[in-house]
Amino acid sequence: MWERRPIIFLLLATAAILVGTIVTMVLPFAWVNTEKDRIEAVAPYDALQLAGRDVYIREGCNNCHTQTVRPLVAEVIRYGPYSKSGEFRYDRPHLWGSRRTGPDLARIGGKYPDSWHYHHLEDPRSMVPGSNMPAYQFLETRTVDPAFTRKKMDVLGFPYTDEEIAALDGKTEMDALVAYLQKLGADIGWREHAQVQVIGELVNPYAPDPDVLSEGARLYADNCAQCHGVALDGDLGPELTGARDIGEAELYRDLWNGIPDGGMPSFSTLGQKKIWKIVTFLMSQEP
Amino acid sequence: MDKPSYNYDIVRGFVNWSILWGVVAVLVGILIAFQMVLPQLNFPPLFTYGRLRPLHTNAGLFGWGLGSFFAAFYYITQRLTRQRVWSDRLARFQLWWFNATIIAAAVTLVLGYNTSKEYHELEWPLDIMVVVLWVIFAVNIVMTVVKRREEQLYVSLWFILGSLVGVAVLYVVNAAEVPVSLFKSYSAYAGTNDANVQWWYGHNAVAMVLTLPPLAVFYYFLPKTTGAPLYSHRLSIVSFWSLVFMYLWTGAHHLLWTPVPDWVQTLAMGFSIMLIAPSWGSVINGYLTMNGQWHQMRTNYLVKFLILGITFYGLQTLQGPSQAVRTFSAFIHYTEWVPGHVHMGTMGWVSMVMFASIYYMLPHLYGRRVYSVPLANLHFWLVLLGQLGYSVSLWIAGVQQATMWHAMNPDGSLHYSFMESVLAMYPYWWVRAFAGVVYLAGVLVFVYNIAMTVRRGEPVAEAV
Ligand code: HEM
Ligand code: HEM
């Protein structure tokens, strides 16, 4: 009978749609962004970071980058601790993404020094050969609009000071984007906690034979040359021609832990073997 | 039986414009596919991958997809109700409003005005345009159905009406946002909630745009082209109700292993697997309708399009649920595998069925026989080849990529750097880009065939 009544049919169809909607879309609001999942350390975006976030949205970085680390072994090793709900409570909209053409950025904050990001965003291939990320040099020619940013902060209800807004004057969109990237995932301070003390005596298992040295040179070219120069002559990082003076054990520690305050990333994800090979390669260099 | 005069003008309009937007979608698709392998093809600020990918998806799903559904829906609804469309003027207005919306969408997306939500990138003024578009369309269809001269509502009309309400609810809820300026707004939901609402929308856009409408079209045109009645009306009704009920539970299968509450993910996983039943209900209904007609696969090119289309739908609805299983998702989520899945659905299922419906309608719309059946066959093989090249290469790519991401050394460190996994993708990306060119060739043959039908097709003896 009712299959001949289009209006009743429409109502029934709506009802059918609403059941699943209410259970799986409306109900979760009672679980999410409540006191239970709050993380004290997570702060709202400041004015510069928010402006940067909007550049990220405008340029559609989320079409290639995700912002959620899943609780899977390899993923936690690659990117850092898995993401918690409370870390996103200020994210309108969320930027979790659905494709990883490029790596996850949920914990990119603090991984590199600012200068690395400037170089990389201007010309990704100059830092990472073979990358297919677009170049965003033009962001350096555009400036952030302080009045508009103030309005945005108001709409989102984020705290700010007049000085903070005044300081936006003259900042480029590139500055803003880098400030945003440096905040991502950094609030919970995991990099400091992840620091491990290498204990016991550190003994290089490799002799400087040609195989090890060529593998070490390759690893250096892939991972270090972008900052320390192809010829170890220094660029964003200091020159490494005299690295052998630092000593094997100390070099190993520098690579494993990084030098967070100095902008030298940790390379623990490479594993002990690869790090030792790089160290062997560095030790073989004549100053 | 008196023959009402139908409004075919509006159908012609939507056919032509949707094909134009389809060609645009495919061209932009090919451009972004080449940008993946040749990043110097990015022309900032306007034409970078990040801005063009949403243009591609919107032109594909809404320009070509929705546009061609509008064409078919106006045709089917008038024929099934034996009633001229309720308002000719409203329909005409809808066509131009549709085009205006698509153009505004293309311009604003390239300018970088977007909300970042997948398949809902348009900023709030355009959301309003979309809502107006949908309301006009819905009113016209519902009024035509209300005023119908045929008592029975054939199952295609159910699917059409279902998608009318489905899209309306989804779009409006996910659009909730607070404007800051004319082209900037912030989502009304935050963080995990926003993600969950977005994928409730995202997955059901698949249901209400890429499943119900092409099924409506399939259920109408398969019996029409084969001349055999639909195998089971009852089966189609059961499929319909279970589809519209179950789809809405599954959005979180796009969010497995994320901070969305576990029970929501588990429900999504369970319902996704249950979805196999109603999905295959339609597939089996299609196959059984072919009983005794299978020879038409050789003789009737329309049947080839339709049966291949429903077969891809069948595969899609097996692959989809497997992707919704946590363990498999852990592996393939975020990889190249997913665009492989997507394009079997869009280039295979949706487009194949819509190509068939347009070929079928041409003689009715223009009073001329389709210009060349060999060309239609060529079209078929080219798009099939292009689509398989696209999907198969990316499935292999996805498996390799996932393996590289998860590979570990015995000492607990990662075996591959991220960049090594990127470099390994280049060969597949090249294959995908060229497969896209083959697909485009097929689409251009289609366009040529239509143009020639309109100009030189053999006139059909009597009006059909
Ligand atoms: C029973 C049916 C289906 C199920 C359970 C299903 C399941 C899924 C799942 C789990 C994903 C997420 C993959 C990932 O990112 O890990 C996905 C993605 C997708 N599916 Fe399906 N699928 C189904 C049918 C279809 C059909 C018929 C289409 C039509 C074209 C389709 C189009 C898409 C699209 C466009 C995406 C990409 C979403 C994105 O990440 O942007 N699916 N599907
Ligand atoms: C020649 C044909 C086509 C080519 C070369 C092409 C290319 C592409 C590329 C390169 C992407 C980005 C994939 C990624 O994120 O890695 C994409 C995504 C997408 N395309 Fe196409 N495309 C084509 C046809 C179509 C058509 C006809 C439609 C719709 C009717 C469509 C709908 C989509 C959708 C929904 C996505 C998003 C997928 C996702 O989120 O995983 N495409 N396409």
Side-chain angles (χ1 to χ4, degrees):
Chain A
M1 236 332 260
W2 36 268
E3 57 186 81
R4 296 186 184 166
R5 300 248 178 91
I7 303 300
I8 295 183
F9 171 86
L10 284 173
L11 292 175
L12 283 176
T14 311
I17 287 172
L18 286 181
V19 184
T21 297
I22 289 169
V23 177
T24 65
M25 194 276 274
V26 181
L27 228 52
F29 276 81
W31 270 256
V32 175
N33 295 346
T34 54
E35 275 314 307
K36 234 176 73 206
D37 63 9
R38 176 185 291 280
I39 301 174
E40 277 319 320
V42 175
Y45 297 95
D46 72 21
L48 189 61
Q49 291 160 349
L50 181 68
R53 190 169 199 268
D54 286 334
V55 174
Y56 187 99
I57 293 174
R58 188 189 68 203
E59 297 309 325
C61 309
N62 51 299
N63 286 293
C64 285
H65 290 287
T66 55
Q67 286 189 19
T68 22
V69 182
R70 298 176 292 172
L72 306 171
V73 181
E75 204 154 314
V76 170
I77 296 177
R78 194 181 293 283
Y79 301 116
Y82 68 85
S83 298
K84 329 274 184 302
S85 186
E87 293 182 78
F88 302 99
R89 68 183 307 127
Y90 299 111
D91 285 12
R92 291 169 196 265
H94 76 290
L95 292 172
W96 293 2
S98 66
R99 284 278 295 113
R100 272 186 193 154
T101 304
D104 188 272
L105 297 181
R107 305 229 175 270
I108 190 72
K111 176 171 177 189
Y112 299 113
D114 287 358
S115 52
W116 188 91
H117 286 294
Y118 283 91
H119 285 273
H120 181 254
L121 288 164
E122 280 161 22
D123 182 4
R125 275 153 298 287
S126 73
M127 301 308 277
V128 187
S131 170
N132 65 356
M133 172 160 150
Y136 290 99
Q137 195 152 30
F138 73 97
L139 295 178
E140 286 182 328
T141 60
R142 300 186 174 197
T143 50
V144 172
D145 178 348
F148 189 42
T149 309
R150 180 195 289 270
K151 204 168 148 197
K152 289 176 178 175
M153 296 292 280
D154 287 337
V155 166
L156 289 171
F158 291 167
Y160 62 87
T161 59
D162 290 341
E163 292 80 68
E164 202 181 316
I165 302 291
L168 291 179
D169 208 31
K171 291 282 187 211
T172 63
E173 290 187 341
M174 186 71 101
D175 299 328
L177 183 56
V178 173
Y180 169 64
L181 291 172
Q182 294 293 25
K183 159 150 167 117
L184 281 178
D187 283 356
I188 60 170
W190 67 278
R191 280 185 198 278
E192 296 80 85
H193 302 310
Q195 289 275 336
V196 281
Q197 281 304 317
V198 191
I199 47 165
E201 211 174 334
L202 285 168
V203 188
N204 187 349
Y206 296 108
D209 58 53
D211 278 355
V212 173
L213 288 180
S214 72
E215 172 78 354
R218 187 186 67 78
L219 287 166
Y220 176 86
D222 284 356
N223 296 290
C224 325
Q226 45 180 283
C227 289
H228 291 285
V230 183
L232 289 80
D233 48 350
D235 188 352
L236 299 184
E239 71 174 297
L240 293 180
T241 41
R244 67 194 301 173
D245 297 344
I246 298 172
E248 287 193 320
E250 194 54 38
L251 278 175
Y252 184 92
R253 263 189 215 105
D254 282 350
L255 298 198
W256 184 272
N257 288 334
I259 308 173
D261 301 329
M264 158 80 190
S266 147
F267 285 91
S268 59
T269 57
L270 289 178
Q272 304 166 19
K273 286 187 185 152
K274 287 182 182 166
I275 292 185
W276 277 123
K277 285 178 181 164
I278 300 175
V279 168
T280 312
F281 165 75
L282 289 176
M283 291 302 288
S284 74
Q285 298 298 305
E286 301 293 336
Chain B
M1 226 177 7
D2 68 320
K3 239 189 161 86
S5 78
Y6 296 131
N7 180 346
Y8 282 154
D9 200 38
I10 189 64
V11 183
R12 283 190 289 268
F14 273 113
V15 166
N16 297 341
W17 282 100
S18 67
I19 292 176
L20 176 74
W21 299 129
V23 172
V24 170
V26 170
L27 284 174
V28 178
I30 291 175
L31 174 57
I32 59 174
F34 276 102
Q35 283 178 337
M36 301 267 284
V37 281
L38 300 171
Q40 56 275 30
L41 290 178
N42 285 285
F43 301 102
L46 300 185
F47 303 103
T48 59
Y49 181 87
R51 294 195 189 183
L52 290 177
R53 189 182 183 274
L55 174 58
H56 165 65
T57 56
N58 279 277
L61 300 180
F62 305 124
W64 158 241
L66 270 190
S68 62
F69 302 148
F70 287 144
F73 286 3
Y74 274 120
Y75 182 87
I76 295 174
T77 307
Q78 297 189 85
R79 302 288 295 209
L80 286 179
T81 56
R82 293 202 294 112
Q83 171 69 41
R84 191 181 173 90
V85 62
W86 179 63
S87 163
D88 290 342
R89 288 179 52 201
L90 206 56
R92 187 103 302 249
F93 177 72
Q94 190 211 334
L95 174 63
W96 293 111
W97 190 255
F98 166 73
N99 285 326
T101 309
I102 299 287
I103 292 169
V107 172
T108 54
L109 287 176
V110 169
L111 287 176
Y113 302 130
N114 78 82
T115 63
S116 90
K117 293 190 173 187
E118 236 179 321
Y119 316 128
H120 206 145
E121 286 90 352
L122 304 182
E123 263 299 353
W124 66 273
L126 280 95
D127 276 346
I128 296 176
M129 290 181 80
V130 173
V131 171
V132 170
L133 174 75
W134 201 255
V135 169
I136 299 174
F137 174 61
V139 166
N140 221 347
I141 293 290
V142 171
M143 288 309 291
T144 310
V145 172
V146 167
K147 297 214 175 297
R148 69 193 182 282
R149 294 197 232 166
E150 169 74 50
E151 202 186 0
Q152 200 67 39
L153 291 178
Y154 180 66
V155 58
S156 289
L157 287 174
W158 294 41
F159 280 85
I160 294 175
L161 293 174
S163 78
L164 284 184
V165 285
V167 171
V169 172
L170 292 164
Y171 200 85
V172 171
V173 172
N174 195 42
E177 56 212 351
V178 187
V180 189
S181 71
L182 185 56
F183 286 111
K184 178 73 200 165
S185 65
Y186 290 115
S187 174
Y189 319 106
T192 307
N193 281 329
D194 191 53
N196 196 44
V197 174
Q198 153 62 23
W199 284 108
W200 163 81
Y201 165 85
H203 186 68
N204 290 294
V206 169
M208 301 299 161
V209 178
L210 301 176
T211 298
L212 296 192
L215 279 177
V217 171
F218 177 77
Y219 274 118
Y220 179 81
F221 287 101
L222 184 69
K224 282 287 179 189
T225 37
T226 56
L230 182 65
Y231 170 73
S232 162
H233 196 64
R234 171 170 302 187
L235 181 56
S236 66
I237 288 175
V238 174
S239 307
F240 172 83
W241 285 110
S242 24
L243 271 185
V244 294
F245 177 74
M246 293 198 302
Y247 248 104
L248 281 294
W249 296 72
T250 60
H253 66 211
H254 292 262
L255 297 169
L256 299 177
W257 301 99
T258 70
V260 166
D262 271 344
W263 61 267
V264 182
Q265 299 182 27
T266 306
L267 276 177
M269 180 168 129
F271 273 86
S272 297
I273 291 168
M274 278 149 56
L275 262 179
I276 297 176
S279 307
W280 271 77
S282 297
V283 179
I284 287 169
N285 217 345
Y287 285 161
L288 292 180
T289 302
M290 290 293 290
N291 263 344
Q293 303 295 328
W294 285 103
H295 60 277
Q296 293 204 34
M297 278 296 275
R298 263 176 288 121
T299 55
N300 185 344
Y301 67 99
L302 290 179
V303 174
K304 268 199 295 213
F305 275 106
L306 288 169
I307 290 301
L308 252 292
I310 198 76
T311 303
F312 282 130
Y313 175 69
L315 295 175
Q316 189 79 353
T317 53
L318 289 177
Q319 189 181 53
S322 63
Q323 294 167 182
V325 176
R326 271 205 184 85
T327 39
F328 195 50
S329 170
F331 193 62
I332 54 84
H333 192 37
Y334 305 133
T335 68
E336 299 296 330
W337 173 283
V338 180
H341 169 71
V342 171
H343 289 83
M344 171 161 70
T346 53
M347 294 162 79
W349 154 239
V350 175
S351 298
M352 287 274 189
V353 168
M354 294 321 292
F355 292 142
S357 73
I358 291 175
Y359 278 127
Y360 180 92
M361 292 189 291
L362 281 181
H364 302 262
L365 300 178
Y366 291 100
R368 290 169 187 275
R369 260 181 237 297
V370 170
Y371 171 69
S372 162
V373 173
L375 279 184
N377 275 311
L378 179 64
H379 167 207
F380 172 81
W381 288 109
L382 286 174
V383 294
L384 180 62
L385 202 70
Q387 188 255 304
L388 288 176
Y390 189 124
S391 293
V392 173
S393 62
L394 289 197
W395 290 327
I396 302 171
V399 170
Q400 181 176 346
Q401 190 179 36
T403 310
M404 293 179 83
W405 287 352
H406 291 280
M408 308 248 303
N409 297 320
D411 70 355
S413 61
L414 296 170
H415 195 70
Y416 297 101
S417 70
F418 190 86
M419 208 40 221
E420 283 170 311
S421 78
V422 173
L423 294 175
M425 292 299 108
Y426 275 87
Y428 304 105
W429 285 338
W430 278 108
V431 173
R432 184 258 305 274
F434 283 108
V437 174
V438 174
Y439 194 87
L440 174 68
V443 172
L444 293 179
V445 170
F446 174 57
V447 172
Y448 175 77
N449 208 357
I450 295 179
M452 293 307 283
T453 303
V454 174
R455 292 172 50 199
R456 302 241 201 95
E458 207 182 300
V460 182
E462 50 179 319
V464 258

